[in-house]
Amino acid sequence: MWASSSCGLKILPQKPLTFNQSSSSSSSHQLQSPCRPNGLPIQFQFQFQPTRRKLINISSILLTTIVSPFASSWAETEEAVELERYTDVDEGFTLLRPKSWIKVEKAGATLLFEDPSKGSNNVGVVVTPVRLTSLAEFGDPEFVSNKLIQAEKRKESTKDVEIVSFRERPREKGDVQVYEFEYNLDSTRGGLKKIFSAAFVASKKLYLLNIAHSQQPPLSNGKRMMLEKVLHSFDVPSST
């Protein structure tokens, strides 16, 4: 799991990246030209140019060519996933989690839920004591995203990693400061994965959330929305 390495305090030097500010959020950024360390561009896009005769059956063609090898288990998972609130009062965090996913024990993880149909799909949290009082003391979202990417690159299992976006979650007065990240990971452990991460500091503790999901087949819109709900729900428990 990434958490133990991502909690370190060393920052390795990294080549400057060019980011464009997203029009949809004043605090979000998108990587313009991601490249592998060897300079080759990373492509995760599927291109499909149907003829006029195929337009009518485009939905069935996509299902057959992309989803077919995984149709049974993936479709069932897509239908079955519901979210429920999980709160750890002792550690001081809360989040939505897939109701059907199983809680498992893993060294270094404060909390870990796994997809019973594919264990590499998981939601994990690590809580670590720090001397910081806020995440801003550690760095801005770009700085922390570079930290996460460097941690992934140091893993022997990592073949390639591409930052997609980073941002500070919009908040109201009194809300905890939360950074959110998205990146693509190609690993010898599970192949292509979509990673969503979030981090915040509260009560002299660093809270790190990691959501990993296979991109074989690519995420559907519904599955992506579900994972983003989990990401955005990670927070300190509300005081009632």
Side-chain angles (χ1 to χ4, degrees):
M1 191 173 178
W2 57 270
S4 58
S5 59
S6 64
C7 291
L9 297 179
K10 280 190 176 181
I11 302 299
L12 297 180
Q14 187 176 11
K15 293 181 180 181
L17 301 177
T18 302
F19 293 87
N20 284 343
Q21 188 166 356
S22 170
S23 59
S24 60
S25 173
S26 60
S27 55
S28 62
H29 300 73
Q30 194 75 22
L31 184 63
Q32 182 69 22
S33 301
C35 291
R36 295 176 176 168
N38 60 10
L40 297 177
I42 300 174
Q43 297 290 341
F44 286 103
Q45 299 179 352
F46 175 79
Q47 297 183 354
F48 184 79
Q49 297 180 348
T51 64
R52 183 175 301 177
R53 295 173 62 185
K54 292 181 180 178
L55 285 175
I56 298 176
N57 297 319
I58 186 171
S59 297
S60 60
I61 291 172
L62 287 173
L63 286 172
T64 301
T65 58
I66 301 177
V67 181
S68 181
F70 309 88
S72 177
S73 61
W74 184 55
E76 290 173 1
T77 303
E78 185 76 14
E79 292 296 328
V81 171
E82 296 180 20
L83 298 178
E84 69 176 8
R85 175 66 57 179
Y86 178 92
T87 300
D88 189 322
V89 177
D90 294 333
E91 290 292 354
F93 68 88
T94 185
L95 76 164
L96 293 174
R97 63 101 166 183
K99 189 174 182 179
S100 61
W101 290 19
I102 302 170
K103 185 178 179 181
V104 298
E105 299 295 327
K106 186 173 182 180
T110 305
L111 176 71
L112 183 63
F113 291 107
E114 288 186 350
D115 183 346
S117 65
K118 193 179 179 81
S120 59
N121 297 340
N122 56 67
V123 173
V125 176
V126 170
V127 181
T128 306
V130 292
R131 296 180 179 180
L132 306 174
T133 58
S134 71
L135 199 56
E137 294 177 24
F138 185 62
D140 61 16
E142 181 178 2
F143 178 88
V144 178
S145 70
N146 289 338
K147 178 73 170 167
L148 288 173
I149 295 305
Q150 291 295 336
E152 290 288 5
K153 287 181 177 180
R154 288 196 296 269
K155 296 180 182 178
E156 292 184 1
S157 59
T158 298
K159 296 167 62 178
D160 224 325
V161 60
E162 170 202 9
I163 186 72
V164 176
S165 65
F166 53 82
R167 72 165 193 162
E168 179 177 347
R169 182 190 298 170
R171 58 180 176 143
E172 298 180 0
K173 185 177 181 180
D175 289 348
V176 68
Q177 184 181 39
V178 183
Y179 293 170
E180 296 179 340
F181 315 94
E182 177 185 345
Y183 58 96
N184 295 319
L185 176 66
D186 189 1
S187 170
T188 57
R189 299 178 180 178
L192 297 177
K193 296 179 183 179
K194 173 66 69 178
I195 308 293
F196 295 100
S197 296
F200 66 83
V201 171
S203 303
K204 296 295 185 71
K205 295 178 182 179
L206 175 63
Y207 294 82
L208 299 170
L209 168 71
N210 189 71
I211 305 168
H213 200 285
S214 172
Q215 293 204 91
Q216 298 170 317
L219 285 179
S220 68
N221 289 335
K223 183 62 67 63
R224 180 184 177 90
M225 289 178 62
M226 183 273 289
L227 297 176
E228 287 180 340
K229 285 182 180 179
V230 176
L231 175 69
H232 301 329
S233 70
F234 187 52
D235 210 336
V236 295
S238 59
S239 56
T240 56

